[in-house]
Amino acid sequence: LRGIPGRSAYSASKAAGHALMESASMELASENFRTIIFCPGYTVTGLRTSGLAVDGTVLAESQAKDAVPAEVQAVRLCNALENRRGLVLTNTNGRAIYWLRTLAPNLLDRIMAGKLRNDY
């Protein structure tokens, strides 16, 4: 939904997937093909200990305090598929970013810049 400071490649890959699903949804609608954009928020994974930092070193970060187990996210995804939802934001942060990027993008930029200062 928004570029994450210090995670440009990760953010770009997510944005590309988002745009791909939006395009495919419109292009294939006449063939009854549907897509879903699932934005799970923090999930318990090894990304923060196996991903790469801005300088190319391996990350050594702790798990986000509000990270949700992958099994919980899988149930959410299945429910979204059953209910034919097009966009799924599973947490308050995701919903706030979704609205702020349109309604108050400068505020969102300041918030993200603050996150960058706090993280590094």
Side-chain angles (χ1 to χ4, degrees):
L1 295 174
R2 184 68 173 178
I4 301 169
R7 304 281 197 280
S8 57
Y10 176 85
S11 298
S13 70
K14 300 304 173 194
H18 192 120
L20 175 67
M21 290 299 101
E22 288 175 335
S23 297
S25 179
M26 290 181 277
E27 292 170 2
L28 301 171
S30 65
E31 298 179 36
N32 203 28
F33 184 88
R34 294 182 48 90
T35 64
I36 185 171
I37 299 171
F38 187 75
C39 304
Y42 291 122
T43 304
V44 177
T45 69
L47 180 62
R48 289 175 170 243
T49 57
S50 63
L52 296 179
V54 175
D55 62 4
T57 59
V58 176
L59 292 172
E61 299 176 354
S62 58
Q63 196 66 246
K65 64 180 173 166
D66 54 349
V68 174
E71 295 81 6
V72 171
Q73 301 293 22
V75 169
R76 290 174 174 168
L77 176 58
C78 289
N79 289 337
L81 290 168
E82 289 173 2
N83 292 313
R84 300 178 60 91
R85 298 203 27 222
L87 173 65
V88 179
L89 309 168
T90 66
N91 64 13
T92 303
N93 287 342
R95 289 186 284 279
I97 290 170
Y98 178 81
W99 288 107
L100 283 172
R101 70 182 186 158
T102 301
L103 300 174
N106 291 334
L107 173 60
L108 182 55
D109 284 347
R110 288 193 304 275
I111 291 168
M112 297 303 282
K115 178 187 176 349
L116 178 61
R117 281 191 301 278
N118 291 334
D119 285 353
Y120 296 101

